[in-house]
Amino acid sequence: MIWDIAVNDFKARFSNSVFGAFWAFVQPLVSILVYWFVFEVGFKNPPVDNVPFILWFTPAYISWIYFSETVIYSSACLAEYSYLVKKMNFRTSVLPVVKVLSGLFLHLFFLVFLFLMNILYGNPVRLIWLQSLYYMFAMCVLTLGLGFLTSSITLFFRDMTQIVQVVLQVGFWLTPIFYSEDNIPRALMMILKLNPMFYITRGYRDSFIYGVPFYQRIGTSLYFWIVTGIIFLAGALMFRKMRPHFADVI
């Protein structure tokens, strides 16, 4: 059931357009091409750690795109599927899961795209690229916890969706996507590391660029999973507490 709803959810995002789900793939691809043209062709950005800028930038960018879009869609999922929420025998807890799974279709495509980018740039295929699947799983757990939390609040406080979007806009610049960690003062870097997505974006770069195994990041891994566990538990408890009242406020 979850799989069927997730597939339909992905298709429904572009159901009113002629080319349908085609746009889901084109829009991020165009964004990546624009960044490549602006920073490599236009501004002629030098390589970062001897890696072409676009190749260094893309792993962190695609992880952030999945995270931000899924959190936004999850925050409004209960209102979007109000006809299911009103059914007494339907488990509303599957709706945030549907949004996480629906977003993965596109994200997996861009992981394959990233594999091909590295090959086209002449990088040999490495087993550590598959480590990105671990970071993808970690990001899904974080996103699902936030989905439970924000979706349960949004029905009672409709401004929550806009707050989420603003926080994500700020979070984009507080996450080292466009800039290297080496350019950040140590004191500020300690603050930026508090952002759980710091761990994910760096992990994607570790997998495709630096070749650093995740078990060498013991400190940041432990911090990430503690914070993610707290967020997931808080989200699940909030969702469970609010669930009996969902149908009343839709």
Side-chain angles (χ1 to χ4, degrees):
M1 179 189 67
I2 294 175
W3 175 264
D4 290 340
I5 297 175
V7 171
N8 290 330
D9 180 86
F10 179 74
K11 294 178 180 178
R13 294 185 189 182
F14 302 90
S15 59
N16 294 326
S17 62
V18 175
F19 294 103
F22 173 75
W23 292 113
F25 301 95
V26 169
Q27 290 173 351
L29 279 175
V30 170
S31 296
I32 292 172
L33 288 173
V34 169
Y35 288 130
W36 169 80
F37 182 81
V38 170
F39 290 100
E40 286 203 11
V41 179
F43 293 152
K44 299 188 183 301
N45 270 44
V48 181
D49 296 332
N50 297 318
V51 177
F53 175 79
I54 195 63
L55 199 61
W56 176 88
F57 163 78
T58 303
Y61 180 69
I62 65 170
S63 63
W64 179 265
I65 287 295
Y66 169 77
F67 171 76
S68 59
E69 289 189 351
T70 304
V71 170
I72 290 172
Y73 284 128
S74 296
S75 66
C77 68
L78 296 178
E80 180 182 353
Y81 287 96
S82 59
Y83 60 95
L84 292 177
V85 174
K86 292 178 180 178
K87 291 184 177 181
M88 298 300 295
N89 59 345
F90 181 79
R91 294 192 63 179
T92 53
S93 58
V94 306
L95 293 177
V97 179
V98 164
K99 290 298 182 180
V100 170
L101 182 58
S102 174
L104 276 181
F105 300 144
L106 184 61
H107 187 65
L108 288 172
F109 167 81
F110 278 100
L111 275 182
V112 174
F113 174 76
L114 196 52
F115 275 62
L116 295 176
M117 274 187 67
N118 277 272
I119 294 172
L120 290 174
Y121 270 87
N123 296 328
V125 177
R126 303 172 64 187
L127 186 61
I128 199 170
W129 290 359
L130 295 177
Q131 180 180 256
S132 58
L133 298 177
Y134 157 74
Y135 287 105
M136 182 184 74
F137 169 75
M139 182 168 53
C140 287
V141 177
L142 172 63
T143 305
L144 183 58
L146 289 171
F148 281 132
L149 186 64
T150 58
S151 63
S152 58
I153 296 174
T154 298
L155 280 185
F156 302 90
F157 182 59
R158 299 290 178 166
D159 291 344
M160 188 64 188
T161 302
Q162 283 69 38
I163 292 174
V164 167
Q165 292 177 0
V166 171
V167 171
L168 288 172
Q169 287 179 348
V170 175
F172 178 80
W173 296 107
L174 294 180
T175 307
I177 298 172
F178 275 102
Y179 51 86
S180 173
E181 300 173 29
D182 299 333
N183 299 327
I184 306 299
R186 183 178 179 84
L188 180 58
M189 181 54 62
M190 294 300 294
I191 297 175
L192 295 182
K193 284 183 177 181
L194 297 177
N195 174 6
M197 278 303 293
F198 177 95
Y199 176 75
I200 300 298
T201 54
R202 185 169 69 173
Y204 270 64
R205 284 200 179 112
D206 282 346
S207 302
F208 288 98
I209 306 299
Y210 301 117
V212 179
F214 72 92
Y215 52 79
Q216 291 187 12
R217 306 284 192 186
I218 297 177
T220 51
S221 295
L222 184 61
Y223 169 79
F224 171 83
W225 283 111
I226 290 174
V227 171
T228 298
I230 293 172
I231 292 173
F232 190 92
L233 182 61
L237 291 175
M238 176 71 75
F239 196 95
R240 182 178 181 181
K241 182 178 180 180
M242 298 294 191
R243 182 166 53 191
H245 309 288
F246 288 162
D248 298 330
V249 295
I250 287 182

